[in-house]
Amino acid sequence: MSSTDNVDGRQRKIDWREVYEENLPRIYNFLRFRIGDDSAAEDLTSSTFEKAWRNRKRYKSQVAEFSTWLFAIASNLAIDHLRKQSVEVELSTLDADKSSGSTEQAVVLREDYLRLLESLEKLPARDRHLFALKHGAGLKNRQIAKLTRLTESNVGTILHRVVKRVREELGEEE
Amino acid sequence: MNTSDFSRFKKDPDPQFADQLYERITSRKSMIARLNAILREPSSLLRAGLLLVTAIVIVAACARQLFAPRNIQIGSMWLHEMSEDAVCGEDIVYPNYTPSGPMPTPQHSHPVPTMISLNEFMERAPYKIEIPTWAPEGFVLYPEVVVTYRAEGTPIEWRNSNVGVISLWTSPSSFWPRGREIRAAYGSWEEVSVNGAPAIMVRGTCMYSAFSSFTGRSESEYLSLHWSRNGTEYTLISISSDIDPDTLIHMAESAR
């Protein structure tokens, strides 16, 4: 499935299957890191792609890359979700990671993940947002800068500070 | 905890969730496309057709009920409200009926009218008849009556120099055990009173066939006033357009 998009008068085809497969895990993990609730992250991931599909004819490639546009949708949905929630999700309600290997590994991974989310909760909303885009979605600083309207330099500085703080909260292991 | 690689906390979306989401969002069609799909599908088309037929039947039934003839009781009379065409329909005629004779069984036939004097009619009538003592200017009481063998009785007439006629039809109330039926088209009637008694005023352009024998016209504008008094049913009909309802009521109230 594809659709066409005008770029400087030339038509460029967007392969929706390719775009979907590339960005689905990134959107999903961004929302997991941002919200801290896997179930809600799944719901918002669905909403993100449904909204993108409905408005696909409005997408202007000369304005932003497609992934940037997707993350803009996901970011807004996350903000709306958190506003409605008003309090962060209880970390104890999180499901265990079923994709891990042994039971012991799964327990350790889950505990570490919960500790990470606890430390992220203490961050200001913007800092957590940037962290989620960088380490959840795997976006580059340049992409994050376009999304957040910060300079690339600012993004780098903030992320460096955030990671340092998270390490201090968790205690870096040798 | 090794914090240099946060990517280990990432998780792949559930494959089933991923496939179902893609299928869901890409299978969404425009409303027109959905409608076309529905119309193309035989079972859906049949279903839509059945729903349409059902809706038409329900609407038709409601319309029929809404515009069905109504029976409204006014005093001892029954006003039968119906379409204008129905008012101009066939009338019930009672053969072999004379003012002094027995009441026959209703039949649909048209015998030849018989003319007798007004005095003879008044003497032979088996019920009390009160005649108006006042008539509009120019109208004169006709000294003869025509026995038409009709359920409404024998008309007493006032005529003017033109073709204007005011007829008084009377019949005993006992002739209508369930109340006299007055037929009127929708919106052509109103409830009035004659000497305080409930009465019905009807205005129309269609007449009973018997009237046409006097006017020579199959259709005329008419104004009719119907009331009951002292065991007698009265109908005062003006076939002249010059008579207004108040004048007719005044004439009726002058009956003694």
Side-chain angles (χ1 to χ4, degrees), chain A residues 1 17 20 24 28-29 32-33 38 42 46 50 53-54 109 112-113 116 131 135-136 167 170-171 173, chain B residues 1-4 6-14 17-28:
Chain A
M1 177 160 307
R17 186 78 209 191
Y20 177 78
L24 178 67
Y28 176 59
N29 280 291
R32 284 182 69 238
F33 277 53
D38 284 11
E42 215 171 70
S46 297
E50 284 167 0
W53 176 258
R54 274 201 308 271
L109 185 63
D112 285 350
Y113 179 58
L116 173 65
F131 186 91
H135 297 285
R167 282 177 181 165
L170 299 176
E173 288 178 6
Chain B
M1 173 170 54
N2 184 355
T3 58
S4 62
F6 293 108
S7 61
R8 66 195 179 98
F9 298 116
K10 289 184 184 180
K11 194 171 86 169
D12 287 331
D14 183 68
F17 159 75
D19 290 339
Q20 287 175 353
L21 174 59
Y22 185 78
E23 200 57 45
R24 193 167 68 245
I25 61 176
T26 56
S27 66
R28 284 189 176 172

Side-chain angles (χ1 to χ4, degrees), chain B residues 84-98:
Chain B
E84 199 163 343
D85 290 342
V87 174
C88 300
E90 193 177 72
D91 303 300
I92 300 173
V93 178
Y94 297 79
N96 301 323
Y97 165 62
T98 61

Side-chain angles (χ1 to χ4, degrees), chain B residues 114-118 121 142-147 154-157:
Chain B
T114 304
M115 189 172 285
I116 59 175
S117 70
L118 178 59
F121 172 72
Y142 199 71
E144 289 176 316
V145 297
V146 177
V147 178
T154 297
I156 299 169
E157 295 182 348

Side-chain angles (χ1 to χ4, degrees), chain B residues 158-173:
Chain B
W158 289 257
R159 298 181 185 180
N160 63 9
S161 55
N162 295 326
V163 292
V165 175
I166 301 175
S167 303
L168 178 68
W169 298 74
T170 60
S171 59
S173 299

Side-chain angles (χ1 to χ4, degrees), chain B residues 43-238:
Chain B
S43 60
S44 293
L45 195 58
L46 182 64
R47 198 162 44 236
L50 284 172
L51 282 172
L52 183 63
V53 169
T54 305
I56 290 171
V57 168
I58 290 171
V59 168
C62 290
R64 188 166 179 267
Q65 187 62 30
L66 192 65
F67 294 105
R70 294 192 299 161
N71 284 327
I72 305 161
Q73 187 169 17
I74 297 172
S76 61
M77 300 173 286
W78 283 96
L79 182 97
H80 191 59
E81 198 178 37
M82 53 199 345
S83 64
E84 199 163 343
D85 290 342
V87 174
C88 300
E90 193 177 72
D91 303 300
I92 300 173
V93 178
Y94 297 79
N96 301 323
Y97 165 62
T98 61
S100 59
M103 301 298 176
T105 305
Q107 291 181 26
H108 292 263
S109 60
H110 302 273
V112 178
T114 304
M115 189 172 285
I116 59 175
S117 70
L118 178 59
N119 289 335
E120 182 183 353
F121 172 72
M122 294 297 289
E123 287 171 8
R124 291 172 61 183
Y127 55 94
K128 182 179 173 62
I129 300 175
E130 294 177 351
I131 300 178
T133 56
W134 180 89
E137 189 176 345
F139 283 87
V140 177
L141 183 61
Y142 199 71
E144 289 176 316
V145 297
V146 177
V147 178
T148 60
Y149 307 105
R150 296 186 59 79
E152 293 83 1
T154 297
I156 299 169
E157 295 182 348
W158 289 257
R159 298 181 185 180
N160 63 9
S161 55
N162 295 326
V163 292
V165 175
I166 301 175
S167 303
L168 178 68
W169 298 74
T170 60
S171 59
S173 299
S174 57
F175 196 67
W176 312 91
R178 287 192 293 248
R180 183 161 60 120
E181 182 183 290
I182 310 298
R183 288 190 287 171
Y186 299 120
S188 69
W189 65 277
E190 63 172 326
E191 186 177 349
V192 295
S193 71
V194 173
N195 290 324
I200 302 170
M201 183 77 72
V202 181
R203 183 187 292 275
T205 55
C206 179
M207 303 191 307
Y208 290 108
S209 57
F211 301 161
S212 64
S213 61
F214 303 116
T215 63
R217 296 193 290 268
S218 59
E219 259 191 28
S220 294
E221 284 188 5
Y222 73 92
L223 193 64
S224 65
L225 180 62
H226 310 267
W227 75 99
S228 298
R229 181 175 164 84
N230 297 331
T232 301
E233 302 293 321
Y234 294 90
T235 294
L236 197 59
I237 299 178
S238 163

